[in-house]
Amino acid sequence: MKFQVNRDVFSEAVSFAVKLLPQRTTLPILSGVLIEATDEGLTLSSFDYEVSARTQILAEVEEPGRVLVSGKLLADIASRLPNAPVRFSTEDNKITVACGTGHFTLSSMPVEEYPSLPQISDKVGTLKADLFAAAISQVAVAASRDDVTPVITGVQLEVSENNISLVATDRYRVAVRDIEWDAGASGVEAATALVPAKTLVEVGKTFGNSGEISVAITSSDERELIAFQADKKTVTSLLIKGNFPPVRRLFPETVDNFAVMNTGELIEAVRRVSLVLEREAALRFTFTTEGVTLEAIGSEQAQASETIDAFLTGDDTVVSLKPQFLIDGLSSVHSEFVRISFTKTENPNKPGPVLITSQSSKDQPGSDNYKYLLQPNLLLR
Amino acid sequence: MNLAQDDSPRTFSEYRRTVRLVIAKCSVDYAGRLSAHLPLATRLLLLKADGSVLVHSDALSYKPLNWMSPPCVLSTLEPEAEQSDAGVTEIWKVAHTKSADMLIVSIHEILHDSSHELGVDPGLQKDGVEAHLQKLLAEHIDILGEGYRLVRREYMTAIGPVDILATDEKGASVAVELKRRGDIDGVEQLTRYLELMNRDPLLAPVTGIFAAQEIKPQARTLAKDRGIRCVLLDYDEMRGLDDPNMRLF
């Protein structure tokens, strides 16, 4: 095999292919990146039976071939190469990478043992990449990182005719965002797919500027997988098995008690006041027609409080919220103002959840339909 | 030989079967590999049955200011005239028997002196948590997944008991190994059980679950490679110390 390729194109492709590879693998060949050179150019792929990544780039191929080489090492090398064309050639099981004045010799791994990448259905629907990337960043923050319950470490994609909703929860909060979806030729009218949050976050970062993303759900051998494609790049991931909890019923149907604040001001105030808080402690928020007062009871050594503007509708309300959970929600509304709505509860030992939604001005609700539901702590007097 | 009548000198560790607590105004000098001096102050002197001598102040948590590890010999000396004039009433010389290290405690006044027999210590019972986890998991077997049912705890195999034998939602056998901290040894242990259990036509196929409060990355990788599922257990939640009112559901 022999080819020459642009340094930046090559480096970007290798880094994409290896990004989703696991940190530890018990099968060394799975830590490799498969490079296939044909008359049409280069294909770089990685696969660990759960997640796969594949990309095609242009190259001047003198001699076609396939080779498997350590992905991490190649990515490190590619990112450090000088700005000159990269010449790649193989002889027996040695690979030579030459670029400008740099020269590397690497061992290849047995390519015939490498598993074949999953087949993807060509029935795809499409999503707007920027919307999808934004929705992923808004929702994935609420996904659980604790694998006691694997189903909630994923982001649930709920597909309907024209819409796709992203839902994630860690039992303390639930985040939901709907975006438009063109079912196209996918033939999908209603489906759900539970995608590992970690993988979906990478998909969002990778495809954020790609224009349109094609999405396909394929099932084979009892396992379902989802594929995302754009810009000659493909990422596939096995879906998490199991039933996502029915979190939508936790959202209130109507709320008539809410406050609107400037998002940036509120985030800054929360960050300041929570400096004196012990870990895991909650901040107390008192909403009145005068504004909202944040109080950190803190320890004996330090307390803090701050009052900022808030436009209250309905009754005066006091809630106790964990600062990080609140900031996660506030940072995800992506709007100048934010609305915090208070729900009622029958249970005296469990405060009603608060709902965080976007607000484009102090009177005008936001245009997107992002919702972040958060469970307050019990108020301690 | 009647030990009770044996008056020959004994080393400190042979002599003491008790722990002795002394609170005294004293100064302490350590001579040997490193020299140290503690000026006159009131301190707790702890003489343990294993022969060790520890000098504690009213701070530093579990750390003594100075100490001598066994084997060592304690001898009590009369102070010399010069020392008596300085107020010393007795001197303890604690000499390490394998090195030249020496701890000298110059006692000015003993405020408290008592000895207690503690008997044989049962040791730190970390296993208590493991046993409790096993009981709790058996009671809440659905933590492993919907439709799971307990067959029995401590299922006996030829090489030892498996912590929990259960069946999954399809009725297939599942062997569960429980640990507080899940490391690679636990995975190996479960692998051995699984290999043996899968030879039993009445049980096979048996899959494995490695359940622990904390699972090391290497253990997780090895378990995954062997097709063993890892489950993290929340001990506080299982014993009801966690407050579901803090959560949405």
Side-chain angles (χ1 to χ4, degrees):
Chain A
M1 186 170 82
K2 210 171 201 177
F3 63 83
Q4 179 167 320
V5 60
N6 176 287
R7 182 239 178 245
D8 292 346
V9 171
F10 184 65
S11 170
E12 204 254 317
V14 179
S15 104
F16 162 75
V18 304
K19 205 181 289 173
L20 289 163
L21 280 177
Q23 294 295 316
R24 293 186 177 77
T25 172
T26 47
L27 287 169
I29 57 164
L30 297 186
S31 67
V33 55
L34 180 69
I35 303 176
E36 293 165 292
T38 64
D39 295 340
E40 283 145 46
L42 288 187
T43 307
L44 291 92
S45 5
S46 67
F47 182 40
D48 71 347
Y49 292 106
E50 288 193 9
V51 179
S52 82
R54 166 187 288 247
T55 179
Q56 280 176 301
I57 54 172
L58 290 175
E60 290 167 37
V61 178
E62 277 177 47
E63 193 186 307
R66 297 173 85 212
V67 68
L68 185 64
V69 58
S70 164
K72 176 80 172 45
L73 187 59
L74 188 64
D76 287 347
I77 292 172
S79 67
R80 293 272 170 166
L81 286 176
N83 194 11
V86 183
R87 292 188 312 280
F88 206 100
S89 59
T90 56
E91 195 166 319
D92 298 330
N93 50 7
K94 289 287 171 210
I95 299 166
T96 307
V97 184
C99 178
T101 46
H103 190 94
F104 293 86
T105 309
L106 310 171
S107 294
S108 69
M109 294 192 271
V111 70
E112 49 298 338
E113 286 171 31
Y114 198 72
S116 34
L117 264 72
Q119 291 296 315
I120 304 160
S121 153
D122 50 8
K123 291 178 179 164
V124 296
T126 50
L127 284 166
K128 285 213 172 64
D130 52 344
L131 274 183
F132 189 48
I136 291 170
S137 74
Q138 285 175 302
V139 170
V141 68
S144 171
R145 283 164 196 83
D146 185 352
D147 50 7
V148 178
T149 25
V151 286
I152 58 172
T153 60
V155 173
Q156 167 99 331
L157 303 182
E158 296 171 353
V159 184
S160 60
E161 211 175 326
N162 304 316
N163 253 308
I164 195 162
S165 321
L166 291 80
V167 190
T169 183
D170 63 1
R171 301 197 291 178
Y172 295 92
R173 58 247 172 97
V174 178
V176 182
R177 166 92 198 259
D178 296 344
I179 54 171
E180 278 170 31
W181 143 265
D182 179 359
S186 68
V188 174
E189 280 171 10
T192 59
L194 193 49
V195 188
K198 214 171 52 186
T199 309
L200 199 61
V201 167
E202 279 304 330
V203 166
K205 286 186 196 156
T206 306
F207 294 132
N209 299 317
S210 301
E212 260 189 0
I213 304 176
S214 322
V215 183
I217 300 174
T218 317
S219 56
S220 59
D221 304 336
E222 288 187 26
R223 286 308 300 262
E224 282 186 300
L225 69 84
I226 192 162
F228 302 95
Q229 285 176 290
D231 292 346
K232 298 203 168 176
K233 292 191 185 115
T234 308
V235 171
T236 71
S237 170
L238 284 186
L239 299 182
I240 300 173
K241 281 197 265 188
N243 293 326
F244 197 75
V247 290
R248 286 197 182 260
R249 64 185 167 78
L250 297 168
F251 285 89
E253 279 172 17
T254 54
V255 277
D256 38 25
N257 192 8
F258 56 86
V260 175
M261 284 141 292
N262 180 291
T263 316
E265 256 178 45
L266 182 57
I267 292 176
E268 286 301 307
V270 170
R271 289 218 169 106
R272 254 193 304 277
V273 175
S274 49
L275 288 174
V276 302
L277 280 186
E278 308 271 330
R279 243 181 106 235
E280 297 287 300
L283 268 185
R284 186 187 178 91
F285 295 80
T286 308
F287 295 90
T288 65
T289 46
E290 311 286 301
V292 55
T293 303
L294 289 68
E295 285 171 278
I297 311 300
S299 58
E300 277 179 23
Q301 281 81 38
Q303 296 88 34
S305 72
E306 179 163 351
T307 303
I308 61 166
D309 284 344
F311 307 98
L312 180 71
T313 305
D315 304 334
D316 289 3
T317 305
V318 184
V319 288
S320 172
L321 301 169
K322 288 232 176 101
Q324 190 52 53
F325 286 173
L326 178 63
I327 287 174
D328 285 346
L330 296 176
S331 315
S332 298
V333 291
H334 298 175
S335 60
E336 193 184 349
F337 288 84
V338 63
R339 176 194 290 219
I340 299 185
S341 311
F342 313 103
T343 58
K344 294 193 170 54
T345 170
E346 302 293 306
N347 183 348
N349 294 317
K350 184 170 181 174
V354 299
L355 177 64
I356 295 172
T357 49
S358 67
Q359 190 85 10
S360 49
S361 73
K362 65 190 205 306
D363 315 302
Q364 185 66 43
S367 52
D368 73 4
N369 37 32
Y370 179 66
K371 292 188 286 186
Y372 182 91
L373 192 72
L374 172 60
Q375 176 62 46
N377 284 16
L378 193 60
L379 282 175
L380 299 172
R381 261 281 148 212
Chain B
M1 187 172 67
N2 189 341
L3 280 173
Q5 286 175 5
D6 180 10
D7 287 335
S8 62
R10 295 169 192 174
T11 62
F12 180 67
S13 56
E14 279 175 291
Y15 185 72
R16 303 207 62 82
R17 291 265 156 18
T18 59
V19 55
R20 182 175 166 203
L21 302 170
V22 176
I23 294 178
K25 271 179 88 169
C26 59
S27 62
V28 181
D29 290 276
Y30 193 97
R33 279 164 296 181
L34 84 174
S35 302
H37 173 70
L38 300 173
L40 186 65
T42 305
R43 299 197 174 87
L44 166 66
L45 305 167
L46 198 56
L47 289 76
K48 289 194 176 176
D50 66 352
S52 48
V53 177
L54 310 162
V55 182
H56 278 277
S57 72
D58 194 10
L60 288 178
S61 178
Y62 63 92
K63 282 184 185 160
L65 292 168
N66 218 326
W67 69 93
M68 182 65 79
S69 305
C72 55
V73 182
L74 172 82
S75 35
T76 308
L77 309 174
E78 285 296 315
E80 287 169 22
E82 198 183 317
Q83 292 168 316
S84 287
D85 293 346
V88 178
T89 55
E90 66 185 80
I91 292 176
W92 294 358
K93 196 176 92 180
V94 189
H96 198 251
T97 45
K98 288 193 175 158
S99 69
D101 287 16
M102 199 179 289
L103 187 72
I104 310 283
V105 185
S106 307
I107 296 181
H108 289 241
E109 187 188 355
I110 289 187
L111 304 168
H112 174 93
D113 189 348
S114 63
S115 296
H116 308 269
E117 200 166 321
L118 301 186
V120 180
D121 191 85
L124 183 59
Q125 287 220 328
K126 288 181 178 163
D127 297 348
V129 175
E130 217 166 276
H132 196 203
L133 273 175
Q134 192 196 91
K135 181 166 173 279
L136 288 169
L137 185 60
E139 285 165 9
H140 306 282
I141 196 78
D142 52 340
I143 288 175
L144 300 177
E146 260 177 65
Y148 273 68
R149 300 181 71 145
L150 177 69
V151 177
R152 61 162 303 161
R153 287 166 62 187
E154 302 280 343
Y155 178 86
M156 209 55 201
T157 72
I159 52 168
V162 176
D163 287 326
I164 286 179
L165 182 66
T167 54
D168 67 11
E169 72 280 2
K170 290 179 189 134
S173 300
V174 182
V176 185
E177 181 62 35
L178 270 169
K179 292 280 178 231
R180 283 175 67 248
R181 292 157 59 89
D183 49 32
I184 229 155
D185 294 349
V187 180
E188 292 289 359
Q189 193 184 348
L190 179 56
T191 309
R192 290 196 295 271
Y193 289 139
L194 285 172
E195 201 213 321
L196 216 68
M197 292 167 89
N198 271 314
R199 292 183 201 162
D200 183 343
L202 296 177
L203 281 180
V206 187
T207 53
I209 293 182
F210 189 55
Q213 274 181 279
E214 176 198 346
I215 296 176
K216 295 282 173 62
Q218 294 98 325
R220 188 179 287 276
T221 307
L222 183 66
K224 199 173 155 196
D225 184 58
R226 294 184 175 169
I228 294 168
R229 178 153 77 93
C230 289
V231 172
L232 276 184
L233 299 174
D234 188 334
Y235 186 39
D236 286 345
E237 184 183 338
M238 286 165 72
R239 55 182 168 159
L241 292 184
D242 151 84
D243 181 4
N245 285 338
M246 302 271 282
R247 299 195 307 257
L248 287 164
F249 60 96

